[in-house]
Amino acid sequence: MYTEALKFAQHEEKMIQTAIRALTLNIYNICDDNVYQFITTPPASIYFSDLVSSLRKQCLQLDALVNSSEDKCTHQRNKDIFLKTDKIVDDLFYFKDMLSVGESRLSRVVTQNLLSLLILPLLLPLLKLGENKGSYHISAVTSLYIVSRLLQVVGGKHLINGVAGLLLYHYMALCEREAIATNGDTAGSTGDASPLLHSLNDINIKVSGHEAEGEKEININYLLQHLNVQTSSNSHFDGSPRDDNVCIERFGIFAYLFSDNHSISLASLFLLLTLAENKDLEHFPASLLGMSQSQGLMNNCESAFLKVDGSILVRLMPQILKTLLKVLACQPPVSPPMQWHTGWFLRKVLQCQGNKLTDDNIHLFNTSYEQSRECLQKELDGCWFDHIPDTIGNEWGSCKKALELQFHVKDPLFTLELEICQQAIDGNFNSCFAWERMVDAVKVFILHLQLKALIFMGCLLEKPSLESPSDSDLGKTYSRDISSPSFGSEVSLGSGIPCRIAFSYAGVRDIYLVAVARGISGKLILAEKHPFRSQRGVVIAIAPLAGLSPRIDEDHPTWLHLRIREFEPNFVKAKGSQSKVSTPPADGRWTLGFHSAKACETARLLILEETCKQRSSVESMLAPLLREDYLVNVLDSQGD
């Protein structure tokens, strides 16, 4: 049954593949030596290498999608990447289920195949060895994503420590040499890397040699020894160079940690965090990274980044902090989701640092904060300024939740986001893109406000109470029928201006234009005169005041052109805050005709005046939040 089932293991139909995997897991859970002997020896054991080879092929396909130069900004390409990562994660959970059986022979064959056919070839580029060319070559950001996701999902002591041993080998070897130089022997040395790599001794991987040699198998310890020879004469463990050579932090994954490519930099930090915060990591590499196992995650510590003397991450923490701040302050700015992820890293680092920044870093953050505030203030002149208060309320909780997200549930997929070209929206006057730009500005400002509170107050802020100006502050009140009209309802025509409009389905009609703002709400109403009540009209069309951009036709001074927002934000909100509209609706266009150029100009000025009143109400509502002393006022209110 097992042998026949494996013939359908790579079937394209998802339901068949799921059934085969369920069947195999049931067999693996049979506690019988003969069964385990059968499935872990050839030819049956080839199934495991085929599975890993298939997974490796998917990883290469993902890398091709991420780095594709064709149709780089299409919605479909982004969707393909997310679907491919979902399939990879499904396969990883299948491997996790295998290891969860707990049978040593099964675990050994699965682990060795993952290490030799997937993990080691992926990590070779990160080790910067000369033998990393050929069919296994994959971009750094994709490699970092896959290894991080594999350790998150599959985990296991052998995989965790195998990856740690590979990434930290030359650091551990330097510790061992320093111990020899100091003590004269390695007896009892905590820097001995051999036990950590013992499980890798019998693993060979195929690498590409010279053209005449083709592919050849090399033992992983040979590669590590080769790396050891390259680095042993270059640097002290503390990073001080010998013979003016490159310092130790320039080798391996730490060379990527400070890359100018933000996605690679954040992906490297995430992988190191994945190792540092894993309870299966052995004592020596844990202390080398900066984790105290006596106070680790099992004691519900906020972060595993604790100040362990001599640890690499603690020693590099000021540089890491500056790198994160540079991501926030870079111009042109990175996408808001990427800034939120950077803020998440920054919060973890600040917890380790005790929320302390140097003067240079404070200046860097303040520059970034001012940029975010200026971007939000610019949106007050945009066509969605009336929705800014509601958007702040909607996004505040999402930002706080993103910053407080626990490490073990954070998906490293964000590390691929910068490699995926985001659709440009600057200079596009479509109201849909203008909406996305406004929401992005709100997201970035909220993030900076929360980080500012974290830096100077040591905590995150609760959602602010944005108070709308009272009617008495508006200087003028309106009846309810004007402030909240509906199609077909009656309104007063007291302030209306007579004009005409042509509808494709109803011809030319005589109407009245009524523009009114009340608080942060503003409407433009088109109404026909009531047949029996001279001062009343029946509403035939309604548009928001914000975004109208009234313009008099150059050739026809009695024509007034208006732009109408057709995009419906509530539709996007219903789908989720991260939703993007691939085919946004075109904005509406109204052209109103007046009996004279003077009446046309009067109508234009009326619209601008009421829009200005509405904008002033929004500005008054947001003023406390945008003030420099907002945090001071928050502290004062808490004290009261």
Side-chain angles (χ1 to χ4, degrees), residues 455-469:
I455 292 169
F456 296 106
M457 296 171 54
C459 63
L460 298 178
L461 299 171
E462 298 299 327
K463 185 165 69 173
S465 175
L466 299 178
E467 297 181 359
S468 177

Side-chain angles (χ1 to χ4, degrees), residues 30-296:
I30 298 175
C31 297
D32 186 280
D33 287 340
N34 291 328
V35 170
Y36 292 131
Q37 180 66 24
F38 173 74
I39 63 178
T40 58
T41 55
S45 62
I46 296 175
Y47 172 60
F48 302 108
S49 59
D50 288 345
L51 274 176
V52 179
S53 297
S54 174
L55 179 58
R56 183 185 66 203
K57 182 179 179 181
Q58 293 182 62
C59 294
L60 293 173
Q61 292 171 350
L62 172 64
D63 189 55
L65 282 172
V66 171
N67 295 285
S68 173
S69 59
E70 298 181 2
D71 298 326
K72 203 166 185 179
C73 296
T74 62
H75 176 74
Q76 184 59 43
R77 175 171 168 265
N78 295 346
K79 183 179 178 181
D80 290 342
I81 289 176
F82 298 143
L83 290 175
K84 179 61 68 176
T85 56
D86 284 344
K87 192 173 189 311
I88 289 174
V89 172
D90 283 344
D91 288 351
L92 293 180
F93 274 108
Y94 181 44
F95 285 110
K96 179 181 177 63
D97 291 338
M98 291 183 189
L99 295 179
S100 297
V101 171
E103 210 287 324
S104 59
R105 283 167 290 184
L106 177 62
S107 297
R108 187 183 307 112
V109 70
V110 171
T111 300
Q112 288 188 349
N113 275 288
L114 283 172
L115 285 169
S116 62
L117 297 179
L118 182 65
I119 297 178
L120 300 184
L122 287 178
L123 288 179
L124 287 183
L126 302 181
L127 295 175
K128 290 185 175 294
L129 296 176
E131 295 91 344
N132 66 335
K133 303 296 183 182
S135 59
Y136 296 123
H137 183 65
I138 193 170
S139 67
V141 67
T142 308
S143 174
L144 290 163
Y145 162 74
I146 294 169
V147 176
S148 297
R149 203 68 176 109
L150 190 147
L151 296 183
Q152 268 192 333
V153 174
V154 181
K157 188 172 184 179
H158 292 300
L159 288 181
I160 291 292
N161 289 286
V163 171
L166 289 168
L167 295 181
L168 303 176
Y169 178 83
H170 43 286
Y171 298 93
M172 293 187 291
L174 282 170
C175 279
E176 187 173 350
R177 285 195 296 273
E178 293 290 339
I180 294 174
T182 303
N183 304 321
D185 61 67
T186 59
S189 171
T190 58
D192 187 4
S194 299
L196 185 65
L197 300 174
H198 179 71
S199 61
L200 304 177
N201 287 338
D202 58 347
I203 294 180
N204 295 323
I205 58 175
K206 289 183 179 181
V207 297
S208 298
H210 299 292
E211 292 184 6
E213 299 175 356
E215 280 197 337
K216 58 182 180 180
E217 282 196 353
I218 296 181
N219 184 270
I220 186 58
N221 275 332
Y222 166 82
L223 296 178
L224 293 171
Q225 292 295 336
H226 178 61
L227 176 64
N228 190 19
V229 170
Q230 286 183 323
T231 61
S232 61
S233 63
N234 289 342
S235 308
H236 293 285
F237 177 66
D238 63 2
S240 59
R242 290 177 178 168
D243 301 326
D244 297 324
N245 286 314
V246 181
C247 67
I248 195 65
E249 282 80 9
R250 298 296 181 183
F251 287 95
I253 190 173
F254 292 97
Y256 293 102
L257 192 58
F258 304 109
S259 168
D260 291 333
N261 185 319
H262 299 318
S263 57
I264 291 178
S265 177
L266 295 182
S268 302
L269 183 55
F270 191 87
L271 178 53
L272 291 171
L273 268 171
T274 302
L275 290 172
E277 300 215 3
N278 194 286
K279 65 181 184 298
D280 288 327
L281 188 63
E282 292 184 4
H283 174 73
F284 178 62
S287 62
L288 192 62
L289 281 174
M291 176 181 175
S292 172
Q293 288 195 336
S294 63
Q295 296 178 341

Side-chain angles (χ1 to χ4, degrees), residues 292-313:
S292 172
Q293 288 195 336
S294 63
Q295 296 178 341
L297 292 180
M298 290 181 288
N299 290 337
N300 297 320
C301 182
E302 272 293 324
S303 174
F305 271 142
L306 301 175
K307 293 192 175 182
V308 180
D309 292 339
S311 66
I312 298 172
L313 289 178

